[in-house]
Amino acid sequence: MSVGQAKAPIYEALKKYRSMRVVPFDVPGHKQGKGNPELTDFLGEKCLSVDVNSMKPLDNLVHPVSVIKEAEELAADAFGAKHAFFMVNGTTSAVQAMIMSVCKQGEKIIMPRNVHRSAINALIISGAIPVYVNPGVNKKLGIPLGMAIDDVRKAIAENPDAKAIFVNNPTYYGICSDLKSITELAHRHHMYVLVDEAHGTHFYFGENMPLSAMAAGSDMSAVSMHKTGGSLTQSSFLLINNQLSVGHVRQTINLTQTTSGSYLLLSSLDISRRNLALDGKAIFNKVSSLANYARDEINKIGGYYAFSKELINGDSVFDFDCTKLSVYTREIGLAGIEVYDILRDDYGIQIEFGDIGNILAIISVGDRALALERLVSSLSEIKRLHTRDKAGMFDHEYINPEVVMPPQQAFYSNQHSVAIQNSKGYICGEFVMAYPPGIPILAPGERITQEIIDYIAYAKAKGCFLTGTEDMAIEKIKVVEE
């Protein structure tokens, strides 16, 4: 990592711009906050004064030649990448740009089915064809694992014409596949490796962390700097490596990313990159120790299981991200989503998500020991007050899908609406997912089974926030006319 990491070119250019007291006759129309006093009172004059448009001194995200270009180079150096793109449409746009950069219509991409919806959306936009590797499932926890090497090898053997392999690193629950072996295997067969590292920013800066995509030699990675790195929501990096063309990837990004890049988001990426490059080891040592402390304390309560590296099996759980505080709740007779709701409604604690059997608390740069003490004591009290018989609880999160049609074909086909409870046997034309985490229960082109219908009904009954269907009540589903 170079000594230049102390610089933050976008941030420095914005400070200089603000000091010049420029009279604005460009967009945005609030004119440094003067046109919207309520918003200025709420967000602050300093914030509104740098919510500005692209101009020569501040460069242009679509075609950077000065301060954004320099900031990209510093980010690439910090992450050990060939190039880093600043993304202001979220990691969703980074994931889509990765897939669309290497896969044309009709070309295959090997991926686990427990991908974020953004990856399947990219298939709908591009017309690429998924070859799903079903992740293993931990029977006790009911959660999907990583991709086993033998399953990847089999997918490659059966689809030697596939253009790329897509990998989650880590999953929402903290589970990592053997990324280095998958990358080497893919490269031997002339396939790109694209990595969703939405939850893996800290892998690049902490010590004793799972291997990052760039260190593994993967070709591209989408990194949510805002999730664990401290930047503003919706700001991310797209990293590229190896022989990929920077110009081609930028053109692909510009197909969907805004031409009005927010300087609030851009400067937050710049400042956060500098912060992690200079102090990341200390920051994430603290994060790890806080998470490990909370995990140990939760396991002492009994009834809960805060899982960690003991799950490692050298293959489908090749490594585990110890900063993820994932907790199995079914033994106390409560679905994760029920614990999630009780924590928020009765204790004023907002965790990342609750699903059928687990909760996840994200521990990152902004957490403090006192807040974790409060979480642990609240979970202890919830167990004391709310434990009940676990009989009749749904016991798994992940259902292997039956894929019968490419996502793009299904999404754009003639469709009609049916009640979800009467949809068995039809081909799904849209998504159904709990958000977060945004991993589809059903995606376009998949056969609807009774098990899936039962799962959706159970998730609704337990209070999961379901999304994806045209019907906002999630009672009807669009199916393909056959």
Side-chain angles (χ1 to χ4, degrees):
M1 214 173 278
S2 76
V3 289
Q5 289 298 329
K7 296 181 71 178
I10 299 171
Y11 163 65
E12 290 156 13
L14 282 168
K15 283 211 303 185
K16 184 177 178 184
Y17 167 83
R18 187 160 59 194
S19 71
M20 291 166 66
R21 304 176 71 85
V22 170
V23 179
F25 286 103
D26 60 351
V27 295
H30 62 67
K31 303 297 170 105
Q32 300 175 356
K34 297 179 186 67
N36 197 337
E38 267 188 329
L39 187 63
T40 305
D41 287 345
F42 181 56
L43 294 180
E45 193 177 328
K46 280 188 172 182
C47 175
L48 272 290
S49 71
V50 290
D51 179 38
V52 292
N53 191 35
S54 295
M55 62 187 76
K56 273 194 174 177
L58 298 179
D59 208 355
N60 190 305
L61 183 61
V62 171
H63 191 96
V65 294
S66 59
V67 292
I68 295 176
K69 181 174 181 284
E70 187 183 352
E72 287 181 343
E73 289 164 356
L74 285 166
D77 179 59
F79 283 91
K82 173 185 168 183
H83 192 81
F85 297 95
F86 280 57
M87 306 297 292
V88 295
N89 285 20
T91 309
T92 287
S93 66
V95 166
Q96 291 172 353
M98 285 199 302
I99 292 173
M100 290 161 61
S101 291
V102 302
C103 293
K104 299 185 180 73
Q105 187 168 25
E107 293 181 335
K108 295 176 187 173
I109 178 169
I110 296 167
M111 58 170 59
R113 173 53 179 75
N114 60 322
V115 290
H116 188 264
R117 72 167 293 173
S118 57
I120 300 177
N121 283 349
L123 306 179
I124 292 170
I125 296 165
S126 68
I129 310 292
V131 175
Y132 289 129
V133 173
N134 284 318
V137 175
N138 180 295
K139 294 270 195 299
K140 174 180 166 64
L141 304 175
I143 62 170
L145 304 176
M147 289 198 288
I149 291 292
D150 280 347
D151 291 342
V152 175
R153 193 176 285 116
K154 181 170 180 280
I156 290 172
E158 291 173 357
N159 302 274
D161 55 339
K163 298 291 287 187
I165 299 178
F166 186 95
V167 189
N168 296 324
N169 191 55
T171 69
Y172 231 119
Y173 301 95
I175 288 163
C176 300
S177 302
D178 184 354
L179 188 55
K180 189 164 178 40
S181 295
I182 290 171
T183 297
E184 289 170 353
L185 184 60
H187 286 171
R188 281 201 301 274
H189 291 85
H190 311 292
M191 296 177 188
Y192 295 107
V193 179
L194 318 179
V195 186
D196 181 347
E197 288 189 301
H199 291 268
T201 302
H202 45 293
F203 291 3
Y204 290 89
F205 302 100
E207 290 182 297
N208 304 313
M209 294 284 175
L211 194 66
S212 70
M214 295 297 103
S218 305
D219 298 287
M220 303 181 84
S221 171
V223 181
S224 286
M225 192 69 158
H226 70 93
K227 285 190 168 72
T228 58
S231 67
L232 291 177
T233 296
Q234 205 175 306
S235 62
S236 289
F237 285 115
L238 173 57
L239 310 177
I240 70 170
N241 215 355
N242 307 328
Q243 300 309 307
L244 279 161
S245 161
V246 175
H248 171 66
V249 175
R250 192 182 301 283
Q251 283 187 321
T252 306
I253 291 168
N254 288 342
L255 290 174
T256 53
Q257 181 157 261
T258 178
T259 54
S260 305
S262 164
Y263 278 87
L264 302 178
L265 300 183
L266 294 173
S267 59
S268 82
L269 283 170
D270 201 25
I271 294 165
S272 301
R273 180 271 313 153
R274 181 176 71 175
N275 187 30
L276 296 187
L278 298 178
D279 298 315
K281 281 185 183 177
I283 288 167
F284 290 117
N285 276 340
K286 180 187 169 194
V287 169
S288 295
S289 64
L290 285 173
N292 287 330
Y293 167 75
R295 187 178 291 108
D296 290 344
E297 292 300 304
I298 290 166
N299 284 332
K300 285 177 191 169
I301 295 169
Y304 298 107
Y305 173 33
F307 47 91
S308 184
K309 284 185 179 285
E310 70 280 355
L311 297 182
I312 291 173
N313 60 20
D315 193 9
S316 58
V317 188
F318 186 76
D319 207 345
F320 186 84
D321 174 12
C322 288
T323 71
K324 296 282 181 296
L325 188 56
S326 303
V327 185
Y328 177 66
T329 64
R330 239 169 36 89
E331 290 298 318
I332 63 166
L334 292 177
I337 187 63
E338 292 174 306
V339 176
Y340 169 100
D341 285 340
I342 295 166
L343 280 169
R344 186 195 58 246
D345 296 344
D346 297 354
Y347 296 90
I349 294 172
Q350 180 63 56
I351 58 172
E352 176 67 11
F353 80 83
D355 54 31
I356 301 302
N358 303 273
I359 57 171
L360 172 66
I362 296 284
I363 316 298
S364 65
V365 295
D367 282 295
R368 300 290 179 267
L370 199 62
L372 283 160
E373 296 279 8
R374 185 171 157 189
L375 173 63
V376 171
S377 62
S378 300
L379 287 172
S380 181
E381 195 168 291
I382 288 169
K383 181 199 169 191
R384 184 171 62 80
L385 296 176
H386 297 279
T387 294
R388 57 174 183 250
D389 187 354
K390 65 177 182 175
M393 295 188 74
F394 220 89
D395 65 355
H396 57 283
E397 301 294 336
Y398 178 76
I399 300 168
N400 285 343
E402 183 191 343
V403 182
V404 288
M405 187 180 285
Q408 186 185 62
Q409 183 186 343
F411 187 83
Y412 288 112
S413 65
N414 292 329
Q415 300 176 354
H416 65 277
S417 192
V418 299
I420 290 176
Q421 67 262 34
N422 300 328
S423 64
K424 180 182 175 182
Y426 285 104
I427 299 171
C428 185
E430 53 185 353
F431 288 96
V432 182
M433 74 203 84
Y435 192 86
I439 296 164
I441 300 164
L442 267 174
E446 295 174 0
R447 183 82 64 192
I448 304 171
T449 64
Q450 190 60 50
E451 187 181 22
I452 289 168
I453 294 168
D454 293 345
Y455 183 96
I456 292 168
Y458 185 84
K460 281 181 75 175
K462 290 296 183 184
C464 289
F465 181 63
L466 295 180
T467 69
T469 54
E470 260 186 42
D471 173 23
M472 295 297 285
I474 324 284
E475 287 168 356
K476 295 182 176 178
I477 192 164
K478 301 292 283 292
V479 298
V480 174
E481 290 186 1
E482 294 182 75

